[in-house]
């Protein structure tokens, strides 16, 4: 997996679980990582783990926010390119599951939220 050295990866949902593990592994393999999520405290902890794991001691980019927000993805891309100059890898890890009834008044809103979060 030497092919990841010096690549730039955006990892959504990186504050815990699979996203966190991916960010730390990619850092260990020499990748520059952009970690995103909604929990700043967790993202800071993951950021420290990534920097410790990086053989080149790359600084990573922490991008706090909800990827369903207006303009979020555009800001994320622009900031990543501004800091690192490119984007090589995108790990769409953020996701959610909300149980809803199709007859519910809020179904359409719930459907839109889940679809936006998981895409």
């Amino acid at each position: 997996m030497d092919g990841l050295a010096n690549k730039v990866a955006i990892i959504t949902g990186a504050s815990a679980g699979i996203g966190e593990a991916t960010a730390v592994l990619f850092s260990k393999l020499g990748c520059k990582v952009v970690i995103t999520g909604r929990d700043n405290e967790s993202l800071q902890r993951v950021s420290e783990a990534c920097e410790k794991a990086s053989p080149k001691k790359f600084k990573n980019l922490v991008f706090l926010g909800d990827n369903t927000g207006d303009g979020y993805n555009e800001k994320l891309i622009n900031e990543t390119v501004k800091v690192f100059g490119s984007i090589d890898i995108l790990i769409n890890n953020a996701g959610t599951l909300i149980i809803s009834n199709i007859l519910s008044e809020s179904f359409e809103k719930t459907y839109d939220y889940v679809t936006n979060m998981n895409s």
Side-chain angles (χ1 to χ4, degrees):
M1 294 187 77
D2 290 338
L4 292 180
N6 297 309
K7 299 290 185 187
V8 177
I10 297 175
I11 304 165
T12 67
S15 59
I18 293 169
E20 175 181 0
T22 303
V24 173
L25 175 62
F26 277 31
S27 293
K28 184 177 181 179
L29 296 172
C31 201
K32 301 169 189 171
V33 296
V34 179
I35 56 175
T36 73
R38 297 179 294 181
D39 182 339
N40 189 48
E41 187 175 312
S42 294
L43 285 174
Q44 294 306 320
R45 178 184 48 75
V46 173
S47 175
E48 289 174 17
C50 288
E51 289 179 13
K52 286 180 186 174
S54 174
K56 298 183 180 184
K57 301 302 174 204
F58 285 135
K59 292 285 184 191
N60 52 65
L61 175 61
V62 174
F63 200 85
L64 181 65
D66 181 341
N67 69 339
T68 64
D70 285 342
Y72 175 87
N73 292 321
E74 184 176 351
K75 290 175 191 172
L76 172 61
I77 290 166
N78 289 339
E79 188 65 18
T80 299
V81 172
K82 179 179 159 186
V83 171
F84 293 119
S86 67
I87 300 169
D88 301 299
I89 303 164
L90 176 59
I91 306 293
N92 289 322
N93 178 67
T96 190
L97 172 66
I98 300 173
I99 305 299
S100 182
N101 182 324
I102 197 166
L103 301 176
S104 167
E105 288 181 29
S106 64
F107 178 78
E108 186 175 342
K109 183 177 178 182
T110 301
Y111 176 84
D112 287 343
Y113 178 80
V114 171
T115 302
N116 289 332
M117 172 64 77
N118 295 344
S119 60

